[in-house]
Amino acid sequence: MSFISTGLSPSLLRAVAAHGYQVPTPIQSAAIPAVLQGRDVLGSAQTGSGKTGAFALPLLQALENAPPESLRRAALLVLVPTRELATQVGEAFRSLAQHLPRALKVSIVFGGVSINPQMLRLRGGADIVVATPGRLLDLVHHNAISLAQVKALVLDEADRLLDLGFAEELARILALLPQQRQNLFFSATFPPAVQALAQTLLRDPVRIEIQPEPQNLPDIVQRAIAVDAGRRTQLLRHLMAEHRWGRVLVFVATKHAAEMIADKLRKARINAEPFHGELSQGKRTQVLADFKASRLKVVIATDVAARGLDISQLPVVVNFDLPRSAVDYTHRIGRTGRAGEAGVAVSFVSADTEAHFRLIEKRQGLSLPLEVVPGFEPQQLAPAAPVSLDGQPIDTSTGGIKGKRPSKKDKLRAAAASAQSTSA
Ligand code: AMP
């Protein structure tokens, strides 16, 4: 399919050409005509597949054709889960909108920075608002913006926005929007519970599911390396030197680990910075800009960096700590191998995380050999098959992806079971 046959206007075809896009990606071919027809869309396609263009291009066309009196009324609202994604998506709208005959105003708003400049910039209204939910609500409460004229709502990384962490804020925002509107929900992953919730919010949606075909699959080589937990930083340094990795994005489980490992690497004269939710927004922006400009070699990040970020020519992602779920694994490794480039995703697996890794692998439909790097042969043995509190073996092949430590519920169940057996 060509961009012409998607139904895009001449000015947007110019925008597409100016960006060097020759043919629409599969999600764009499917979504652009549906969005142009005003349909709701539930779109799922792998990360880096051109999702932003899939909603931005047809929605810009709707604004291009809108009557003048509807301008600067926040007709288009795009919600995203992280501040960095707000900037990235907002900038994508700005650069695509440059080619339209009429100037459109894109406002990017997110928390963690002073609200006043954002309020000032919203004076006189905006056409497109790209926002994280919390700050958007703050701006509504300060009367800096009204959502009463929103014609189209986009949830980017929709599964994240629809899950519990954002549920309350999202519900409050939805209550402020007109009933009559177009809804576009996009994400790389849509767990079934989230899909069911999405269905209740969408009107007769066009469902677009782009199955990754071999030629569309990001070119990511996935590797798993067995290593003792205490030697992971050394192994990371060894791999960086051996493979001459230019830039590496390293994922860890906690802010503390991010700080600690960045510190260790800096002591070894490696230019590294942590990236997590407790840093000031100024610092987060700086770290990301330095990383994108290759001024920084290693970023040690929590999952706040796992979604949506488009860092071109990022050759390597390392799971220093394994992700909690298979969905997080998909998002993390999707930071590399973007837009047709090659990438490597390496997971460090130690004795106590091997069972967890096998579950992620199973959910991903993968089967990776556990490699051993000479000099880093693991000394620790895998724990014996896990047993529950009442001494029964746990079958880890049937679930429990968040680790095999018993949850509160497991403990309650075990306590109830042992109470029953003692009273019997
Ligand atoms: P996204 O999935 O929206 O984050 O896009 C991933 C990358 O693909 C971005 O760097 C886009 O600029 C690029 N991209 C989007 N659409 C196309 C296209 N039709 N052809 C080539 N590259 C594209």
Side-chain angles (χ1 to χ4, degrees):
M1 192 184 212
S2 69
F3 271 111
I4 295 180
S5 44
T6 59
L8 285 178
S9 67
S11 33
L12 285 162
L13 290 176
R14 274 200 302 279
V16 157
H19 282 73
Y21 303 164
Q22 287 173 355
V23 286
T25 64
I27 185 89
Q28 291 167 352
S29 300
I32 293 172
V35 180
L36 285 176
Q37 282 167 22
R39 298 285 305 269
D40 279 8
V41 170
L42 180 66
S44 115
Q46 85 247 21
T47 173
S49 58
K51 276 191 285 191
T52 318
F55 59 78
L57 288 163
L59 289 173
L60 282 169
Q61 183 151 327
L63 286 173
E64 182 182 8
N65 298 327
E69 61 276 13
S70 67
L71 289 180
R72 306 288 191 266
R73 298 270 179 95
L76 173 51
L77 175 62
V78 184
L79 294 179
V80 293
T82 68
R83 304 162 189 175
E84 286 72 22
L85 206 49
T87 307
Q88 186 175 301
V89 171
E91 294 297 348
F93 267 103
R94 275 188 190 142
S95 77
L96 290 168
Q98 268 175 14
H99 302 266
L100 297 180
R102 131 204 296 179
L104 293 177
K105 187 167 154 197
V106 182
S107 277
I108 303 171
V109 297
F110 49 76
V113 292
S114 164
I115 197 169
N116 295 335
Q118 292 178 356
M119 288 174 64
L120 276 179
R121 280 199 295 272
L122 278 168
R123 281 211 184 139
D127 296 295
I128 300 158
V129 179
V130 184
T132 54
R135 175 53 58 92
L136 182 69
L137 284 167
D138 288 346
L139 287 162
V140 170
H141 294 141
H142 281 84
N143 288 325
I145 186 171
S146 157
L147 302 179
Q149 306 290 324
V150 169
K151 300 266 185 302
L153 167 73
V154 178
L155 299 189
D156 192 13
E157 302 292 334
D159 62 334
R160 180 80 186 85
L161 288 166
L162 289 166
D163 83 14
L164 272 182
F166 283 105
E168 196 198 321
E169 286 171 342
L170 188 64
R172 282 163 60 203
I173 292 171
L174 291 175
L176 298 167
L177 302 179
Q179 290 283 322
Q180 271 293 332
R181 58 170 198 265
Q182 188 175 14
N183 298 290
L184 311 175
F185 294 180
F186 285 91
S187 185
T189 46
F190 270 115
V194 171
Q195 264 201 48
L197 176 60
Q199 288 294 345
T200 64
L201 299 170
L202 295 164
R203 251 180 329 132
D204 183 25
V206 177
R207 290 161 143 274
I208 301 172
E209 203 170 328
I210 304 296
Q211 294 299 345
E213 288 170 28
Q215 69 269 28
N216 300 327
L217 268 181
D219 188 3
I220 302 175
V221 176
Q222 300 177 56
R223 296 175 58 187
I225 301 181
V227 59
D228 285 339
R231 301 202 64 206
R232 287 174 296 174
T233 311
Q234 271 171 294
L235 176 61
L236 176 64
R237 284 174 52 193
H238 172 83
L239 293 171
M240 285 175 64
E242 188 186 344
H243 299 289
R244 295 173 195 278
W245 286 341
R247 279 184 303 166
V248 190
L249 180 59
V250 178
F251 282 103
V252 290
T254 63
K255 294 159 194 168
H256 175 69
E259 293 284 348
M260 205 178 61
I261 297 159
D263 218 40
K264 279 193 195 166
L265 292 179
R266 277 199 301 262
K267 283 190 180 127
R269 296 175 182 283
I270 294 171
N271 202 356
E273 286 286 348
F275 186 92
H276 55 74
E278 244 161 53
L279 297 175
S280 71
Q281 189 52 38
K283 178 76 182 170
R284 271 166 69 161
T285 309
Q286 184 66 47
V287 169
L288 208 58
D290 286 347
F291 194 46
K292 285 185 176 176
S294 296
R295 289 188 291 269
L296 200 55
K297 202 170 160 70
V298 189
V299 168
I300 320 280
T302 59
D303 280 298
V304 73
R307 280 173 179 264
L309 290 188
D310 188 26
I311 303 165
S312 64
Q313 287 160 17
L314 174 64
V316 190
V317 167
V318 173
N319 287 316
F320 190 99
D321 289 325
L322 292 178
R324 280 167 60 83
S325 67
V327 165
D328 289 343
Y329 181 86
T330 306
H331 285 286
R332 283 183 176 189
I333 73 165
R335 295 314 100 223
T336 184
R338 306 206 29 106
E341 292 159 8
V344 181
V346 180
S347 298
F348 289 169
V349 181
S350 33
D352 57 341
T353 60
E354 186 175 345
H356 181 59
F357 183 72
R358 293 300 173 205
L359 284 170
I360 291 178
E361 213 185 14
K362 196 170 153 199
R363 301 249 168 119
Q364 291 281 325
L366 285 172
S367 174
L368 298 179
L370 211 46
E371 300 171 38
V372 173
V373 174
F376 291 89
E377 293 81 1
Q379 305 298 312
Q380 287 161 6
L381 295 173
V387 287
S388 70
L389 289 184
D390 53 354
Q392 297 299 310
I394 294 172
D395 178 6
T396 50
S397 64
T398 54
I401 192 139
K402 286 182 180 160
K404 54 190 179 306
R405 269 181 37 215
S407 67
K408 257 191 200 155
K409 265 192 198 157
D410 292 334
K411 286 181 191 163
L412 284 173
R413 266 190 226 114
S418 75
Q420 259 184 4
S421 58
T422 45
S423 64

